[in-house]
Amino acid sequence: ASNPLGLTTEPGRITCDSTGNVYVAFGFAGTMYCGTFTTSSTGANDIGIIKYNNNLSGSPLWVRKIGGTGNDFLSGNYGGPYNTQIIDIAIDNQQNLCCTSMFVGVVNFGPSTYTAGPTNGDGFLAKFSNATGTCLFVKHIRGTTYVRPSGIRIDANDNIHVTGNFLGNLYCDPTTTTSGTLSAGGMG
């Protein structure tokens, strides 16, 4: 759908921090014009994250793009009836933004570039600084067939919990093929 940002967007998520600042995450294709910020999608669909002040006045405080060569945000039926993809976001106790979704191909998070395995997409967990939107860390979640993170929650101790589904084996630490492996006999 066309909107005031000047691009095609897919539904995403909205959340607020403890001071009322508003965070919006969504999928987009094309060039995004948002206040003084302009960015274009790299692949077919990228992820946009925007932070507004608590009264939504003026330009955003910061804008970030998570983008790569493939689809980094999917909606609808992608390869099967269970592959509807969303992005989810949550705020930790230090007011940093955490998000999870999936990517295909190569994706750039700012400080690092990650490559999905030869599958139908890998997942990620990323944390962005409240003050600047700088990417603080990324955790790559790899699967043997596909990984579809769909939910994120942060508990009182700042532990981050990610939910979703996968097919085959799930590697929570893709630097090794034995640590953090979970297998599913079907949809996980």
Side-chain angles (χ1 to χ4, degrees), residues 7-184:
L7 52 106
T8 301
T9 62
E10 295 290 341
R13 295 288 190 257
I14 298 173
T15 194
C16 296
D17 63 24
S18 65
T19 62
N21 293 313
V22 177
Y23 300 80
V24 181
F26 53 91
F28 77 97
T31 301
M32 175 173 50
Y33 303 96
C34 191
T36 60
F37 298 94
T38 302
T39 188
S40 296
S41 59
T42 305
N45 292 295
D46 287 351
I47 296 169
I49 303 173
I50 303 173
K51 178 183 178 182
Y52 293 99
N53 65 19
N54 59 7
N55 61 12
L56 298 173
S57 64
S59 284
L61 300 174
W62 51 259
V63 174
R64 291 293 169 264
K65 175 184 80 166
I66 301 171
T69 57
N71 283 314
D72 305 314
F73 181 95
L74 302 175
S75 68
N77 186 357
Y78 181 74
Y82 302 103
N83 292 343
T84 299
Q85 180 57 37
I86 59 172
I87 184 173
D88 202 12
I89 56 177
I91 304 295
D92 70 11
N93 294 329
Q94 288 74 47
Q95 307 305 301
N96 296 311
L97 177 80
C98 298
C99 72
T100 189
S101 191
M102 61 83 61
F103 68 99
V104 175
V106 178
V107 66
N108 185 334
F109 288 91
S112 304
T113 300
Y114 293 85
T115 302
T119 64
N120 290 317
D122 285 352
F124 70 84
L125 164 64
K127 182 184 280 194
F128 296 88
S129 163
N130 174 40
T132 64
T134 301
C135 187
L136 301 174
F137 74 76
V138 176
K139 299 295 181 184
H140 183 176
I141 308 166
R142 178 168 283 169
T144 53
T145 304
Y146 67 80
V147 177
R148 299 289 188 266
S150 58
I152 186 170
R153 297 297 175 265
I154 302 172
D155 66 25
N157 296 319
D158 260 354
N159 296 306
I160 303 169
H161 306 271
V162 175
T163 62
N165 63 57
F166 67 96
L167 183 62
N169 291 331
L170 179 70
Y171 303 104
C172 298
D173 179 2
T175 59
T176 175
T177 58
T178 58
S179 175
T181 302
L182 181 64
S183 296

